[in-house]
Amino acid sequence: MYNHASSTGSAFPAVEFDAEIIGKLSQSGPRYTSYPTADRFQPEFGYGQFLEAVAGLRMRRSSRPLSLYIHIPFCDTVCYYCGCNKIVTKDHSKAATYLDYLKQEIDMQGRLFAGMGKLEQLHFGGGTPTYLSDRQMGDLMAHLHASFDFAPDQQGEYSIEIDPRTVSVERVHSLRKQGFNRISLGVQDFDPDVQKAVNRIQPEAETRAVIDAARDAGFRSISIDLIYGLPKQSMTSMEQTLDKVIAANPDRIALYNYAHLPHLFKPQRRISEDDLPTPAVKLDLLALCIRRLCAAGYVYIGMDHFAKPDDELAVAQRQGRLQRNFQGYSTRAESELISCGVSAISAVGATYSQNEKTLEGYYEKLDEGRLPVVRGIKLENDDLLRRILIQKLMCNFELSIGSIEQSFPIRFSEYFATELQKLKAFEEDGLLIVEPDWITVTPKGRLLIRNICMVFDRYLSQPRLGEAQPLRYSKTI
Ligand code: SF4
């Protein structure tokens, strides 16, 4: 009988690196920040359907907490590896226009959700949220506080992604005063040659000064983003970067896999393919990162995340409370996610909805006096079932079949007969164990969790017309 981490509250989930299995199974696949994934959203779902979803919540007198995502799309310069939806410009007046419209959207959403749950989570992402000036940020935060009922600082998780190249020590203190209590810093790699190859020159001293300032200012959690697979990276350079990261002692580390997809992301065409590590070296880099971070005391949370054992993420995982949303892993209970800004995705009730992707379209919809929702999806019962199942596997590496049968009127073994059959191959490779009441992902299977979840994704067997399936997603490892 396997020892179920979340049911006993005992073992820390561990991870085991098996190059042979990873090499055999690595393929393109979704990251499951949502299910169904965003490429399944439909243009028939618009503003009207979003309003219906909110009305449904009101009718059910929902008091689920609210989570708010604010998208600031601007960046001063482009990092060549970037695959984000951003606008690179040095013309900061564009941000002022954007803020005018963003505030209109925030007002509308604030009125729609008035009197519903408290706001317990706020996340600023981009682009570069700190592209906004200190004054603009203060003004925007005041606007948000006037539109939503924020939970007290101790109870809420208020985070911002910052680019250390754009903030001073004073600015970090100011962000804390403006209400943020978590911070995540893009670092990617400390090596000067790698930084040059990706057009992101960020001296180590500058990053360390920001981290020290965040600690002094009283941020509750400091997170660092790294990327493996970048041009000019080698085992030696990565060793040195990891030494520096571990010395900086962040609470969380996100380690992303660089997906070189120059046909999809134009800036990546400026990366010379000759400078990229070979697939074999890339796997060695990943193995090195996992080994070093685990040896330094970090817990492998899942996908690309590591945290200190006493960080809320690791605690929530041990207690089976971990969630997965568009910002990655989260400790918050199920909440309604309202997202404001160009291209932002909301998750309200049993729906997902996405805003206009271009600034022009976004402004145009708001000028018409309506929310800029242009696509989305209303989840059917089967979607809701599979979403919970994928969430549980992603967050806890195990699934209680009994708890699924209690929540949904199905007999698991019959409903998922095909999927259970497909899982047999993973079981033979030692990636998971299927028992009558549990599906448990082994330490060896944890790095391949996306592959395991893909078995339960019914949309993957329905390719969209005219789309080359393997090109839409990044590699699972
Ligand atoms: S990686 Fe971040 S800072 Fe760099 S271009 Fe992309 S969004 Fe902007």
Side-chain angles (χ1 to χ4, degrees), residues 331-348:
T331 61
R332 297 291 115 178
E334 284 271 323
S335 49
E336 305 300 339
L337 171 66
I338 307 157
S339 295
C340 296
V342 65
S343 78
I345 300 177
S346 298
V348 168

Side-chain angles (χ1 to χ4, degrees), residues 86-87 211 214 311 335 435:
K86 80 276 169 194
I87 297 157
I211 293 174
D311 184 87
S335 49
E435 295 168 296

Side-chain angles (χ1 to χ4, degrees), residues 75 77-79 81-82 84 86 127-128 163 200:
C75 298
T77 55
V78 68
C79 312
Y81 55 80
C82 184
C84 300
K86 80 276 169 194
T128 308
D163 179 344
R200 188 179 172 118

Side-chain angles (χ1 to χ4, degrees), residues 19 37 66-67 107 140 151 162 188 196 242 287 291 313 351 397 423 432 438 444 474:
T37 46
L66 304 182
S67 175
D107 286 343
L140 181 54
I162 65 160
Q188 328 314 351
K196 202 163 150 219
L242 288 167
R291 201 169 58 240
L313 271 194
T351 67
F397 296 123
L423 288 184
L432 50 77
W438 288 90
K444 205 163 139 183
S474 59

Side-chain angles (χ1 to χ4, degrees), residues 53-67:
V54 182
L57 291 182
R58 239 183 226 294
M59 247 168 51
R60 291 197 301 279
R61 296 178 187 279
S62 168
S63 58
R64 292 213 302 185
L66 304 182
S67 175

